[in-house]
Amino acid sequence: MAIQRNMDPKKCPMPSQDPNVRNKNFDEVALGYTAEMAVNEARRCLHCPKKPCQSGCPVGIDIPAFIAKVAEEDFEGAYKVLSASSALPAVCGRVCPQETQCEGKCVRGVKGESVGIGRLERFVADWHREHSDETPARPAPNGHKVAIIGAGPSGLTAAGDLAKLGYAVTIYEALHLAGGVLVYGIPEFRLPKAIVQKEIDGLKAMGVDIETNMVIGKVLTIDELMEDYGFEAVYIASGAGLPRFMGIPGESLKGVYSANEYLTRINLMKAYKPGSKTPIMHSHKVAVVGGGNVAMDAARCAKRMGAEEVYIVYRRGMEELPARKEEVEHAEEEGIIFKTLTNPVEVLGNEDGMVCGMKCVEMELGEPDASGRRRPIVKEGSEFTLDVDTMIMSIGTSPNPLIRSTTPGLETNRHGCIVTNGDDGLTSREGVYAGGDAVTGAATVILAMGAGKHAARAIDEYIRSK
Amino acid sequence: MFKIVEKTPLNPTVTKLVIEAPLVAKKAQPGQFIIVRAKEDSERIPLTVADFDREAGTVTIIFQIVGAGTMELNTLQEGESVHDFVGPLGRPSELEGIKKVAVVGGGVGCAIAYPTAKRLHELGAEVHSIVGFRNKDLVILEKEFEAVSDRMAKMSDDGSWGEKGLVTNALEALIKEGNQYDEVIAIGPLVMMKFVCKLTKEYGIKTTVSMNPIMIDGTGMCGGCRLTVGGETKFACVDGPDFDGHLVDFDEAMHRGTMYKEFEAHAREEACNLFKKEVE
């Protein structure tokens, strides 16, 4: 059957909650395509023989193939193509920065808008979840054991790939829930936790064992896992969860949070729900310091928690914001106020030790620095006070030292990141692989997943050649 | 899930739980702590390891029923299980090489001071214990302390147990008597530790305190437990909980400890009503 191609230069828009309604609830913002919209959008794909989109996908999904199935209205078939490459399609379709990955390479993007690959991936994964109760098959065991440290996107992806090959996989997770940043970091309104749980349940059905409440480096070391527990290889995917603070006066006042703490209380501990047993400050005026995706998440959470004014305070300009453009737009629509070219120099407190303001300076951009970004310089005499009662520091994270300090012979760099050999993720220790933010420092969900895929392949080759 | 193999009330507000957690028991050392979640929707609460039995695979925690979270933990009975039990976390106390020591415990802090005193006694140190409680009804671990102490000073605020007065009074008396301590270890309410440090600073005695800030994850990922020590920011869950008491900014720590006072008061009230209803 010949499929009628859709030559509309624009993407089929995705329905979403009204900004003034959604900034008061934690329900998902983007509502997803209907089947009709998905088919219509899928028909915009030109099925280029060279598949540039696929080369932009860190886990190498056969994008034209799954889109062709959607265009044919074979949604379950589309899901099969997706799940051959991705363990978490419902997650990736929602949180990947497609504009710099698959969709950034789409030929349709040259004259018009690229195909909505992420939206289609999301549609297919959601359709499968709602319509199929088929549990993933448990592959035949191959008799080998692999341990994975950390149940974030990288660890879950590696676990899925290794389980498919028949490995007995155990994931060790420090928190009481698996998912890593997908459960404690990214808020419910961008990624519903029920979806994450469903994808994790799929891994469990494939035979992956997830041990929560296990802080590796404390309760067991990597050496013990390999010597006493019989794991032939270990994949370290412990992330970069150690928050940075600015080191300015007043940062220990009540009302100053790291974004990790603020988001963990809200997302993992459900402090946004009435009756939650974990407390959180109910603030009136909030400053979020930083300009990445985490800063946008924290600001949008603060707004939803009822704050009247929420500022993003960033030392460079709007153009330099490291967050995804879509996240910045969503934040603006929801009423977040952007104070760019602004840097805090001191947090002010009252006699109870509570934050009551933030002393800031204005910045201007100078010459590009070593990283190619224009360096912010303080404007003389520009000091002013921003009236806030809460400050959320979102200026980055680095890897937790727990594993490197308890694993002799594991090489790390001066940023505390684990040093690996090329794409394989092999560390300085035989049989020990690492990937995701533990290696790169804070990056994206999909890069972490890509690293998990590479490591799974390398671990399989290593064990088979032993 | 982690089974409660023993539950013993030590006084009307302090409960001891012995929990089956073989992996934690195998690694735990004095000074370390665990994070417990009583039920599936409970808050994460940090509690210091009060004792452990590597053979039996059990860890003992002792907690004061101060708010909704500990009230909820206290509703669990022997034979039931706590939902989550993570550890051992934090750095172990550095106790090797101490020859003569004063261990100062205040209130439920004695639950943490006791394993420290016990370990020091095992290591051959001369242990002087100074323990204080508000009144005789709140006394815990009296016999245990006696068994590991070369000398013991018992203090109560109202004089209903031991001597009337503060632990600092007893400590100063011991110092004035001519006791030369290598170290003083103080564990208890922040205000008590602050005044012990003020006293020992005058006498130039090294003092270690065990800090108890608000925590969530306990693994170093949020910084909620941060303290200023010697002008630097430290995370109590990974850099501590033990710190040089003369370097700790106690006033800041006391302020930070009250961050959720209102929420906690409200939650406690709700929890009380809830439990009352269950009883009715």
Side-chain angles (χ1 to χ4, degrees), chain A residues 176 213 218-219 224 229 241-243 251-254 256-258 260-261 264-265 276-277 279 352 400, chain B residues 23 27 37 41 43-44 72 84 86-88 90 216 219-222 224 226 252 255-256 258-260 263:
Chain A
H176 57 263
N213 294 323
K218 285 287 180 191
V219 69
E224 285 171 318
Y229 286 72
L242 188 76
E251 256 180 322
S252 288
L253 288 164
K254 280 187 284 182
V256 182
Y257 286 99
S258 72
N260 263 11
E261 178 181 359
T264 299
R265 285 180 181 271
S276 158
K277 289 172 184 162
D352 291 331
N400 191 307
Chain B
L23 291 173
K27 287 287 171 72
R37 249 175 25 120
D41 60 348
E43 192 181 359
R44 295 170 68 98
E72 187 174 47
D84 298 289
V86 199
I216 313 240
T219 63
M221 65 167 263
C222 85
R226 65 193 185 278
E252 178 189 281
H255 270 313
R256 284 186 66 80
T258 62
M259 187 146 165
Y260 298 108
F263 179 97

Side-chain angles (χ1 to χ4, degrees), chain A residues 116-437:
Chain A
I117 301 168
R119 297 169 179 191
L120 290 171
E121 179 183 24
R122 168 190 163 143
F123 166 78
V124 170
D126 288 356
W127 192 91
H128 170 80
R129 194 178 60 255
E130 282 152 26
H131 292 86
S132 165
D133 30 76
E134 192 186 321
T135 42
R138 203 179 265 250
N142 68 8
H144 297 282
K145 283 172 72 175
V146 178
I148 292 175
I149 320 298
S154 198
L156 293 173
T157 302
D161 281 16
L162 288 164
K164 279 182 200 160
L165 296 167
Y167 288 92
V169 179
T170 303
I171 307 182
Y172 293 101
E173 166 56 45
L175 291 174
H176 57 263
L177 268 184
V181 74
L182 309 177
V183 295
Y184 77 73
I186 303 176
E188 181 78 16
F189 58 81
R190 278 217 292 140
L191 180 64
K193 301 308 148 216
I195 289 171
V196 179
Q197 191 53 49
K198 189 87 187 195
E199 300 213 329
I200 289 168
D201 289 345
L203 287 177
K204 285 186 182 164
M206 279 165 59
V208 173
D209 176 26
I210 302 181
E211 301 274 338
T212 52
N213 294 323
M214 294 288 279
V215 183
I216 300 303
K218 285 287 180 191
V219 69
L220 290 171
T221 62
I222 287 182
D223 288 291
E224 285 171 318
L225 290 175
M226 298 185 83
E227 282 155 28
D228 306 341
Y229 286 72
F231 290 105
E232 292 165 74
V234 174
Y235 178 53
I236 305 171
S238 47
L242 188 76
R244 250 177 254 151
F245 288 91
M246 291 184 79
I248 57 175
E251 256 180 322
S252 288
L253 288 164
K254 280 187 284 182
V256 182
Y257 286 99
S258 72
N260 263 11
E261 178 181 359
Y262 192 72
L263 291 171
T264 299
R265 285 180 181 271
I266 290 181
N267 300 321
L268 179 72
M269 305 311 295
K270 307 274 177 255
Y272 70 89
K273 286 189 180 170
S276 158
K277 289 172 184 162
T278 298
I280 189 134
M281 297 245 310
H282 288 268
S283 320
H284 300 284
K285 295 184 178 184
V286 181
V288 180
V289 181
N293 289 321
V294 177
M296 300 305 138
D297 284 345
R300 295 171 71 194
C301 281
K303 187 84 190 176
R304 283 162 171 77
M305 295 301 291
E308 293 104 51
E309 281 168 34
V310 181
Y311 301 98
I312 289 277
V313 175
Y314 180 58
R315 61 193 185 133
R316 291 186 166 94
M318 284 305 281
E319 289 304 305
E320 285 80 17
L321 281 169
R324 288 183 68 187
K325 218 169 151 242
E326 189 187 319
E327 299 306 323
V328 175
E329 284 167 10
H330 279 157
E332 282 184 304
E333 285 166 12
E334 288 168 14
I336 308 297
I337 306 157
F338 284 73
K339 280 224 168 284
T340 52
L341 292 167
T342 302
N343 208 26
V345 288
E346 186 181 347
V347 196
L348 307 170
N350 64 17
E351 64 277 16
D352 291 331
M354 283 285 308
V355 173
C356 66
M358 200 168 91
K359 208 183 269 179
C360 299
V361 285
E362 287 175 28
M363 311 293 281
E364 53 197 354
L365 293 181
E367 293 300 308
D369 63 11
S371 72
R373 290 199 299 175
R374 291 177 64 193
R375 208 154 47 90
I377 304 163
V378 177
K379 247 195 231 174
E380 285 291 328
S382 64
E383 213 169 87
F384 69 99
T385 301
L386 196 61
D387 179 20
V388 293
D389 58 12
T390 301
M391 180 170 168
I392 301 171
M393 301 302 302
S394 180
I395 53 168
T397 54
S398 53
N400 191 307
L402 206 50
I403 287 187
R404 68 170 186 262
S405 64
T406 55
T407 312
L410 188 71
E411 204 186 313
T412 52
N413 68 18
R414 65 192 175 91
H415 301 294
C417 300
I418 299 170
V419 177
T420 58
N421 181 12
D423 275 355
D424 281 1
L426 179 63
T427 67
S428 52
R429 289 275 309 264
E430 195 193 331
V432 179
Y433 294 75
D437 288 1

Side-chain angles (χ1 to χ4, degrees), chain B residues 11 161 213:
Chain B
N11 72 30
W161 179 75

Side-chain angles (χ1 to χ4, degrees), chain B residues 1-64:
Chain B
M1 302 286 273
F2 300 81
K3 197 172 155 194
I4 298 167
V5 294
E6 186 199 320
K7 179 181 179 181
T8 314
L10 297 186
N11 72 30
T13 63
V14 176
T15 302
K16 170 173 137 180
L17 293 181
V18 181
I19 308 237
E20 202 172 84
L23 291 173
V24 185
K26 207 174 150 192
K27 287 287 171 72
Q29 293 181 62
Q32 289 188 297
F33 68 96
I34 55 92
I35 295 253
V36 63
R37 249 175 25 120
K39 296 175 186 168
E40 203 182 352
D41 60 348
S42 300
E43 192 181 359
R44 295 170 68 98
I45 308 176
L47 291 169
T48 307
V49 170
D51 206 353
F52 46 82
D53 184 334
R54 301 205 202 283
E55 303 273 295
T58 57
V59 176
T60 303
I61 49 174
I62 293 174
F63 61 95
Q64 186 163 25

